[in-house]
Amino acid sequence: MQYICLIAAENMMEHFTAEEAARQYDEYQEITEQLRRSAQLVSCNRLKPPEDATTVRVRGGKAQVIDGPYAETKEQLGGYYVIEAKDLNEAIQIAARFPGARYGCVEVRPIAVDDQTRTALGF
Amino acid sequence: MPADAIATTRALVDEIYRTESRRVYATLVRLLNDFDRAEEALHEAFAVAVEQWATEGVPANPVAWLVSTGRFKAIDAMRRRVRFDASITELAARFEDVASTNAAKAGEEIADDRLRLIFTCCHPAIAPSTQVSLTLREVCGLTTEAIASAFITAPATLAQRIVRAKAKIRDAKIPYQVPAREELPERLESVLQVVYLVFNEGYSASSGSELTRPDLSGEAIRLGRLLVELLPEPEVIGLLALMLLHESRRAARTSPKGEIVLLEEQDRTRWNREQIAEGKTLIERSVASRAFGPFTIQAAISAVHADAPTAAETEWNQIVSLYDVLLRMNPSPVVELNRAVAVAMRDGPAAGITLIDALLARQELVDYHLAHAARADLYRRSGQLDAARNSYRQALALARQEPERRFLEKRLMELG
């Protein structure tokens, strides 16, 4: 079963000192390597800061484009992992190992596997 | 078939439904891997039992019979659906395969299934208030209407929460299992919290005019017994002891008119000696393990009260030391308040007032009516009536439960 782990925090990589950021990168590198070895990694990446976000909505056939993320919250999405886990407990154990879980939080969401969605996406 | 044979069988099936249906259900959830399918299979199995047991007699092991009948009914239903939708043929075959493998080890695992069900319903990924409802619904078999009325919620709202929780268990794949050793202490804590919450809701309703709701306390004690039987960890035993010792005073803690009777004024001959004896035996068992925790200590405090022939003969010194242990394990302002009252009983009201004032000065418990009520009572005992009246008024401004309000008003009136 696949889960996406959305890592959100107030403090993002861009706001860390160079030294802190380096430590974070090391830690992420380690856990990513571990997940890759145990075949639990599907994909992952860091996201650029919310200031770089653009939100698109189409209303009445017209695209409205505005600056910034869609949700104005203190905690911002900073990265994601798509992982393979046998159940929610295993996914939670993995999520708890991300450094972001210590200074922000990680939302764990199952990825849909229903036939309608799979067909719609051409799988 | 004679009508009375049918009636006899039906009565027997009803009895087995009452005592064993949740056990059968818990196993069906594991075999069928789905709450709703299990619920459906459970009812089908009992429907078949009513017909078949009347002619063929009751099987030697009704629980195993019901589990296997329910399982076959569910597989039949799957097969019927397969005819309409060829795409799930493979799924059905795999499902049948899993079900028969599981059934092979069903015997030894039936007891564990109820534990799996409890841990799944109390999984931290489900909101705490929903954990309580889900446990009462799935483990105890209470109807949604009964749970809704106990917690003063609209049945539709509660039903929706339960449906959502079950969907989450299925979609997010919350596993149907007892947590591994290393996870157990934390997960067990949330299970025990749910049981204790159910008990407290029954013992002292959080609002409204009735002080007690015995049904919920009864359910909590039943759950406690089940847990002790399946997972006899020290704190599981301690919680059951605590609930039994509290429950033992039920008859004495309200007057016939529904007014609160405080511990020191209760008629101790009305305390349930059987529950007290059972509670004390459980405490000994938990303490012997040397791995006991806060529930066991609270039970031990309750047992000291139970041992005192009159309020005046209470071993307050022992109670204060138990609160000291509890505070070290579980620092909390409410525990400090209770300890302050015990100190006052041992050393006089002034000592207690000093401790409560220090607590209030830290801005803790200033909104907790019982802190002001305790302070009022200590001033009353020491004859400082103005101060007592002030604190009773503060307590009244914060109290929400009707019997507690009437009690505080009565005390205020008595002070003149």
Side-chain angles (χ1 to χ4, degrees), chain B residues 349-370:
Chain B
I353 292 169
T354 309
L355 290 171
I356 296 178
D357 283 349
L359 253 174
L360 293 173
R362 273 163 33 204
Q363 289 299 307
E364 291 194 270
L365 304 185
V366 280
D367 295 329
Y368 186 49
H369 66 288
L370 292 180

Side-chain angles (χ1 to χ4, degrees), chain B residues 379-401:
Chain B
Y379 276 123
R380 184 183 63 88
R381 285 170 195 266
S382 63
Q384 292 166 268
L385 302 188
D386 278 342
R389 272 190 287 268
N390 268 335
S391 287
Y392 276 126
R393 284 196 196 100
Q394 274 174 291
L396 251 177
L398 296 164
R400 288 207 319 266
Q401 209 188 300

Side-chain angles (χ1 to χ4, degrees), chain A residues 9-10 50-55 57 66-77:
Chain A
E10 277 181 55
E51 297 88 85
D52 291 349
T54 304
T55 303
R57 283 184 181 83
I66 55 163
D67 172 43
Y70 74 91
E72 286 295 338
T73 55
K74 276 203 288 182
E75 288 182 324
Q76 296 293 350
L77 214 52

Side-chain angles (χ1 to χ4, degrees), chain B residues 52-261:
Chain B
Q52 211 165 310
W53 295 2
T55 51
E56 293 169 22
V58 178
N61 186 342
V63 170
W65 187 95
L66 287 160
V67 166
S68 98
T69 305
R71 184 173 66 91
F72 279 118
K73 283 282 166 191
I75 291 172
D76 271 356
M78 282 288 276
R79 283 216 192 90
R80 280 197 302 276
R81 262 169 247 160
V82 166
R83 280 187 216 133
F84 296 108
D85 182 359
S87 70
I88 58 169
T89 310
E90 190 214 3
L91 184 69
R94 206 175 341 138
F95 166 71
E96 195 166 340
D97 188 40
V98 169
S100 31
T101 320
N102 284 346
K105 41 181 185 172
E108 69 210 53
E109 291 199 15
I110 281 181
D112 290 350
D113 285 331
R114 284 182 298 172
L115 209 49
R116 286 194 183 92
L117 186 57
I118 295 174
F119 275 102
T120 305
C121 291
C122 299
H123 195 281
I126 297 167
S129 61
T130 309
Q131 289 175 17
V132 170
S133 311
L134 200 59
T135 303
L136 288 171
R137 176 74 198 84
E138 308 302 321
V139 184
C140 305
L142 261 58
T143 63
T144 308
E145 289 73 21
I147 303 165
S149 92
F151 289 93
I152 318 170
T153 319
T157 313
L158 193 92
Q160 197 181 22
R161 272 192 224 138
I162 289 178
V163 167
R164 254 193 232 135
K166 285 195 209 169
K168 183 167 188 184
I169 290 170
R170 185 187 60 230
D171 296 343
K173 217 171 166 196
I174 293 179
Y176 196 58
Q177 61 183 210
V178 177
R181 265 279 141 200
E182 64 271 18
E183 275 181 273
L184 192 61
E186 208 175 310
R187 293 284 311 278
L188 185 57
E189 203 178 301
S190 83
V191 169
L192 297 182
Q193 281 308 333
V194 164
V195 177
Y196 195 40
L197 232 138
V198 172
F199 179 80
N200 274 332
E201 196 57 41
Y203 193 67
S204 131
S206 54
S207 61
S209 57
E210 291 285 316
L211 186 64
T212 58
R213 261 184 262 145
D215 287 358
L216 283 182
S217 299
E219 286 303 333
I221 289 173
R222 254 191 294 280
L223 275 171
R225 286 191 195 286
L226 181 65
L227 280 168
V228 166
E229 181 195 320
L230 300 174
L231 193 70
E233 295 280 317
E235 274 297 85
V236 176
I237 297 169
L239 173 60
L240 178 59
L242 176 64
M243 294 191 294
L244 286 168
L245 283 156
H246 278 328
E247 187 67 14
S248 74
R249 300 187 204 129
R250 179 179 295 282
R253 71 193 282 268
T254 45
S255 74
K257 279 191 286 176
E259 305 296 327
I260 295 178
V261 182

